């Protein structure tokens, strides 16, 4: 076997592999012999089919399969042993492959086009400062959060006169009806929040006993809202039209929950706090925790952008676009690839940088690490708390089953997440991080600018 790498540019190369009969024939003979033992053919006892007949029946397909397997192992092994920074997958030279005479050739030559990332240096200590924002939670945010919680856990009260957002209970009647059919009528609740905005004013200021007429498709143009208002299925409500009358029997509106023990228990759990000041302190902790998650996400994004801006990496753009078009044949057009290419190359460069960080710092993720991360995910998703033996066994079983599902995709998903977190944590520990205080409004504007940028 001969292998030769030819780099035409810093980011483009071709890999040529020459095979002789000695490279593949022993394995081909071994497989054909195995076929001969197992093949069932009329007129011959099992295992007694002549080798020449087995060769005629299966020789070509076994040869092709064996050479393809050998090429796959050879290409991947060469890339790994020579530490080539290959991006995308090797693309075979289709013209050369098509010209092969499998019936008569014994020596073969194959070529693969490779896309390579340029070499780059990585010095985390030399990166410019990265801001780590800390959102200052004020009484304003605390009061707004508690007000939102009061509305979320609202009660109901009866009203004498309707206002925007109220629920109107009463009798809905169709005025007329399709020929030969009785007019539709039902006792129902009209959700005024779902009424078309331009029609909402008609339903304000009404009292018990009042009757209002309206075109149902004008007032409830959305089929789902019409179904909600009539109690019909969506497809049935879609066919409902014409003038309707509605006679009001009751009016209810949401009443914000009182700041009392019932609200404390609903928000924080039974008996977690018993006084308003304790409640406010706990809610403030939750707000700060949520802010910490948001600022951590922004810090991660800023670290990645800083790495990209300060680590020049060249990629084989034309090769990658061709590879994307080939591997996504029928799913993506050249125009789709052009639109998404910048985001794709960002991910490729980031992965190259993170791989180098992991290599330089001996970051290694083992099965036990992946399992522990999966168990933590299970605890969070299912709300499993405590550490008794039975619960631990249940969590362990669920986690292991999850990792075995989807043909290993779940395992790789968690593996990549653990790997990525470890790399980013290490970068954060070595980079120049500058803490900065910021208000909620400033933070929102900052995130908006990042998204727009």
């Amino acid at each position: 076997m001969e292998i030769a790498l030819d780099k035409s540019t810093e980011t483009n190369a071709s890999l040529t592999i020459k095979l002789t009969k000695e490279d593949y024939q022993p394995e081909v003979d071994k497989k054909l012999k195995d076929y001969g033992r197992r093949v069932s053919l009329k007129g011959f006892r099992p295992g007694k089919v002549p080798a020449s007949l087995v060769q005629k029946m299966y020789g070509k397909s076994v040869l092709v399969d064996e050479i393809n397997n050998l090429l796959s192992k050879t290409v991947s092994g060469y890339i790994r042993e020579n530490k080539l920074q290959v991006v995308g997958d090797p693309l075979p030279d289709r013209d050369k492959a098509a010209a092969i005479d499998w019936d008569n050739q014994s020596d073969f030559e194959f070529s693969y086009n490779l896309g390579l990332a340029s070499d780059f240096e990585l010095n985390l200590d030399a990166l410019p400062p990265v801001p780590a924002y800390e959102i200052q939670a004020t009484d304003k945010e605390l009061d707004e959060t508690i007000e939102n919680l009061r509305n979320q856990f609202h009660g109901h009260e009866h009203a004498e006169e309707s206002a925007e957002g109220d629920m109107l209970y009463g009798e809905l009647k169709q005025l007329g009806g399709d020929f030969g059919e009785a007019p539709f009528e039902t006792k129902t609740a009209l959700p005024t929040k779902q009424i078309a905005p331009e029609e909402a004013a008609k339903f304000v200021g009404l009292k018990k006993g009042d009757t209002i007429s309206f075109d149902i498709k004008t007032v409830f143009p959305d089929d789902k809202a019409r179904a909600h208002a009539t109690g019909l299925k969506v497809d049935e409500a879609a066919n409902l039209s014409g003038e309707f009358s509605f006679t009001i029997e009751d009016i209810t509106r949401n009443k914000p929950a009182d700041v009392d023990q019932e609200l404390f228990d609903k928000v924080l759990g039974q008996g977690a706090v018993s006084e308003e000041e304790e409640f406010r302190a706990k809610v403030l902790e939750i707000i700060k925790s949520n802010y910490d998650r948001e600022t951590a996400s922004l810090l991660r994004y800023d670290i990645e952008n800083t790495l990209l801006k300060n680590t020049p990496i060249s990629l084989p753009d034309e090769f990658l676009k061709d590879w994307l078009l080939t591997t996504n044949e029928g799913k993506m057009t050249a125009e789709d690839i052009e639109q998404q290419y910048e985001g794709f190359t960002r991910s490729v460069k980031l992965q190259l940088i993170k791989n180098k960080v992991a290599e330089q710092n001996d970051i290694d993720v083992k099965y036990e690490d992946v399992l522990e991360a999966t168990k933590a995910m299970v605890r969070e998703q299912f709300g499993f708390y405590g550490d008794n033996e039975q619960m631990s066994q249940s969590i362990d079983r669920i986690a292991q089953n999850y990792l075995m599902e989807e043909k290993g995709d779940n395992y790789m998903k968690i593996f990549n997440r653990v790997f990525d977190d470890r790399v980013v944590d290490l970068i954060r520990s070595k980079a120049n991080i500058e803490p900065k205080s910021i208000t909620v409004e400033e933070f929102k504007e900052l995130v908006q600018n990042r998204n727009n940028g």
Side-chain angles (χ1 to χ4, degrees), residues 64-180:
V64 173
D65 286 346
E66 175 53 30
I67 287 183
N68 282 334
N69 289 335
L70 182 59
L71 288 171
S72 177
K73 292 176 183 177
T74 302
V75 171
S76 60
Y78 185 89
I79 290 170
R80 183 175 58 256
E81 290 166 12
N82 291 274
K83 297 184 178 179
L84 299 179
Q85 290 197 125
V86 172
V87 289
D89 295 317
L91 290 178
D93 186 320
R94 295 182 183 277
D95 292 336
K96 278 191 175 182
I100 291 174
D101 183 354
W102 293 101
D103 294 312
N104 299 301
Q105 280 184 233
S106 59
D107 293 347
F108 301 92
E109 181 177 309
F110 301 88
S111 291
Y112 293 85
N113 295 318
L114 305 182
L116 307 174
S118 63
D119 290 331
F120 61 92
E121 296 297 323
L122 186 63
N123 186 356
L124 300 178
D125 297 326
L127 291 175
V130 181
Y133 297 101
E134 182 180 348
I135 301 175
Q136 301 302 312
T138 65
D139 286 342
K140 178 176 178 288
E141 284 80 51
L142 178 58
D143 291 339
E144 287 178 351
T145 301
I146 291 176
E147 190 60 29
N148 288 336
L149 290 170
R150 293 182 66 202
N151 289 322
Q152 180 182 343
F153 295 100
H154 63 79
H156 296 95
E157 63 182 0
H158 296 278
E160 294 299 321
E161 187 174 296
S162 65
E164 188 175 343
D166 286 350
M167 185 71 77
L168 309 180
Y169 294 86
E171 188 171 32
L172 180 68
K173 289 184 178 181
Q174 187 177 25
L175 302 178
D178 295 334
F179 182 76

Side-chain angles (χ1 to χ4, degrees), residues 33-49:
K33 190 174 182 180
D34 184 55
Y35 269 59
R37 285 194 296 266
R38 293 185 291 111
V39 70
S40 177
L41 193 62
K42 189 175 181 180
F44 297 94
R45 287 182 296 158
K48 298 298 181 180
V49 179

Side-chain angles (χ1 to χ4, degrees), residues 324-338:
L324 287 168
L325 195 61
T326 301
T327 54
N328 293 282
E329 189 174 2
K331 298 177 183 177
M332 294 180 72
T333 64
E335 291 74 20
D336 294 332
I337 290 168
E338 285 293 340

Side-chain angles (χ1 to χ4, degrees), residues 244-372:
F244 280 71
S245 70
F246 184 74
T247 301
I248 298 173
E249 298 177 3
D250 194 12
I251 303 167
T252 64
R253 66 177 55 127
N254 293 342
K255 177 187 176 184
D258 293 328
V259 182
D260 56 14
Q261 190 64 48
E262 185 177 357
L263 180 63
F264 302 162
D265 292 344
K266 286 180 178 179
V267 174
L268 301 173
Q270 194 74 26
V273 299
S274 57
E275 296 180 358
E276 185 174 348
E277 284 308 308
E278 289 181 297
F279 176 68
R280 290 177 65 85
K282 287 287 187 183
V283 171
L284 186 60
E285 285 180 16
I286 295 171
I287 293 172
K288 288 180 177 178
S289 176
N290 291 337
Y291 285 165
D292 287 345
R293 281 196 292 271
E294 292 185 38
T295 54
S297 295
L298 183 61
L299 175 59
R300 189 187 193 109
Y301 179 84
D302 286 345
I303 287 174
E304 291 178 344
N305 271 0
T306 301
L307 287 167
L308 289 169
K309 288 178 182 177
N310 293 275
T311 313
I313 302 174
S314 298
L315 295 177
D317 295 321
E318 292 308 313
F319 170 86
L320 283 175
K321 290 175 183 178
D322 185 37
W323 172 71
L324 287 168
L325 195 61
T326 301
T327 54
N328 293 282
E329 189 174 2
K331 298 177 183 177
M332 294 180 72
T333 64
E335 291 74 20
D336 294 332
I337 290 168
E338 285 293 340
Q339 290 175 359
Q340 300 175 32
Y341 189 68
E342 184 178 349
F344 170 76
T345 55
R346 182 182 190 275
S347 298
V348 170
K349 290 178 181 180
L350 270 177
Q351 195 59 54
L352 289 167
I353 293 170
K354 289 175 180 178
N355 287 345
K356 179 163 281 194
V357 171
E359 182 182 346
Q360 290 177 348
N361 295 275
D362 297 323
I363 293 176
D364 186 28
V365 177
K366 297 181 171 60
Y367 175 79
E368 293 76 14
D369 305 319
V370 177
L371 180 60
E372 285 304 314

Side-chain angles (χ1 to χ4, degrees), residues 14-67:
S14 63
L15 186 66
T16 302
I17 302 172
K18 295 180 179 180
L19 300 177
T20 64
K21 199 168 186 178
E22 290 75 17
D23 297 316
Y24 59 81
Q25 195 62 45
E27 193 63 28
V28 169
D29 290 342
K30 179 181 175 182
K31 289 184 177 177
L32 285 175
K33 190 174 182 180
D34 184 55
Y35 269 59
R37 285 194 296 266
R38 293 185 291 111
V39 70
S40 177
L41 193 62
K42 189 175 181 180
F44 297 94
R45 287 182 296 158
K48 298 298 181 180
V49 179
S52 59
L53 192 54
V54 174
Q55 170 68 35
K56 185 176 181 180
M57 293 171 63
Y58 302 107
K60 186 174 179 179
S61 63
V62 169
L63 174 65
V64 173
D65 286 346
E66 175 53 30
I67 287 183

Side-chain angles (χ1 to χ4, degrees), residues 193 276 325 420 438 448:
K193 287 182 180 179
E276 185 174 348
L325 195 61
D420 203 64
I438 192 171
Q448 185 64 38

